[in-house]
Amino acid sequence: VNFGILFAFFLEKGIILKLKADYIVTMNEKNEILLNAEVIFDKKILKVGYNLDDSPAVYLGKNSVLMPALINNHTHLEFSANTTTLNYGDFISWLNSVLENREDLFLECSGKCFKNAVDEMKKSGICAFGEISSSGNDLKYLTKQPLKVIYFNEIIGSNPAVVDMLYQDFLARIEESKKYENEKFKVAISIHSPYSVHPILMDKVIEIAKKENYIIQTHFMESKAERKWLDEGKGEFKLFFEQNFKLSKPLIKPVEFIRKFKDTKTTFVHCVHANEKELEEISKINGYISHCPVSNRLLNTGLLNLEKVKNKYIDYTVATDGKSSNYSLNLFKEIRAALLMQTELHPKYLAKDLLKSVTINAAKSLGLNNGSIETGKDADLISFKLPDKIKDIENLPLQIILHTNEVNYLYINGEEIN
Ligand code: MCF
Ligand code: FE
């Protein structure tokens, strides 16, 4: 026996594990829930089903749930030092408070602050997240922690006089982040919003995204002020832009903005004030929508109409946004907030969709090979226990959302993360 080769084989494959749970929520096409079933995996999921082979299984215990690990597709960890600093309750006041406090908040967030943010996500069962990086301050820490990261280098800037400088800085951040690309760390780009990025800059950046296959995120139609500014060049944004950026007219029409993302994989974040036409355009280019209900509530921008999003066959994800507009990065808390806020939708069916939104949909939006328990998928799994047994299995998604805050086990690429 060649032990060198054998060892290399185990390194490559990882250790093979077999887990058994009372409830396995697969998140596969058919949305199957399996009772008293098993999953065998190394780095990838090998088999899912009943009485798979003779090897002993690790039983996760009474009322245990095994499901895909969660994915928080939109965060801003550079703002993690914020707790009570930023001004909530009104979007423009919030934005002004960001301009005023951003540098200080960024300075306050280094090692320990990033660690706390990642730890909170980890405890709540998150295996991967989409990080919007404005400065690059977050890069070093994020390359040294165990969760998967899609790292969106943000471009922002509306003044044509400085567009070139901003573009050069953006390119430098892309290059720097590329050095760290690996199985768990992928480079991507973020175009901040239709009101804050000059179309010249947008075109250049989207060209790079297409060439390099970078995934894109952009904030879109978050506030009423944004709606009024982009439609009529009026409202609260008018004063804001004249005072801060010497800008007197909006840069682009919303539909034109959306169409620029054709032939890319783009997530439009918020979309609270997107109209039918815009949702249709997002649907046409196979865009995703990221719903951040707590952020929208705290900045008082309104509630996304999920029914309308579903009617246009747009896949939506739920995300926390950053601590800049949330008190927590726990995704179970976020989907519980969505469940309680989306009062037009039936709680049982909404709960099913919400679980999809933070697993399989989020995986697709970030181009990850996880988010469901199926042969060939990455073994990114979580397990936790419900307080009691479920009588009617139809209630399982709702009860999971009501009763779960933290998980007992998190596996990423088949490896237990502590
Ligand atoms: O998603 C929320 C609210 N909408 C827009 N931007 C941000 C959010 N949280 C943080 N941001 C950042 C954004 O990436 O704040 C800055 C940008 O860098 C706003 S523009 C000065
Ligand atoms: Fe955001």
Side-chain angles (χ1 to χ4, degrees), residues 130-193:
E131 160 71 351
I132 307 296
S133 173
S134 317
S135 67
N137 289 350
D138 46 359
L139 181 63
K140 280 277 148 59
Y141 184 79
L142 294 187
T143 58
K144 288 187 269 176
Q145 52 75 49
L147 308 197
K148 294 180 178 175
V149 183
I150 308 299
Y151 190 77
F152 294 90
N153 291 285
E154 181 181 65
I155 184 83
I156 187 164
S158 51
N159 183 349
V162 291
V163 153
D164 205 58
M165 191 192 78
L166 294 169
Y167 183 62
Q168 293 310 324
D169 171 73
F170 166 82
L171 288 181
R173 280 183 285 126
I174 289 271
E175 284 311 309
E176 189 57 27
S177 58
K178 261 171 81 171
K179 292 182 192 161
Y180 299 91
E181 264 198 317
N182 62 35
E183 199 183 29
K184 284 184 159 188
F185 186 90
K186 297 277 179 256
V187 171
I189 68 164
S190 163
I191 290 174
H192 178 254
S193 78

Side-chain angles (χ1 to χ4, degrees), residues 74-76 132 219 269-270 292 321-322 325:
H74 179 83
T75 63
H76 303 254
I132 307 296
H219 296 91
V269 182
H270 302 312
C292 308
D321 220 342
S325 55

Side-chain angles (χ1 to χ4, degrees), residues 32 41 80 146 208 238 334 395:
E32 282 172 298
F41 57 92
S80 297
I208 298 180
K238 190 166 175 67
E334 192 72 26
N395 286 302

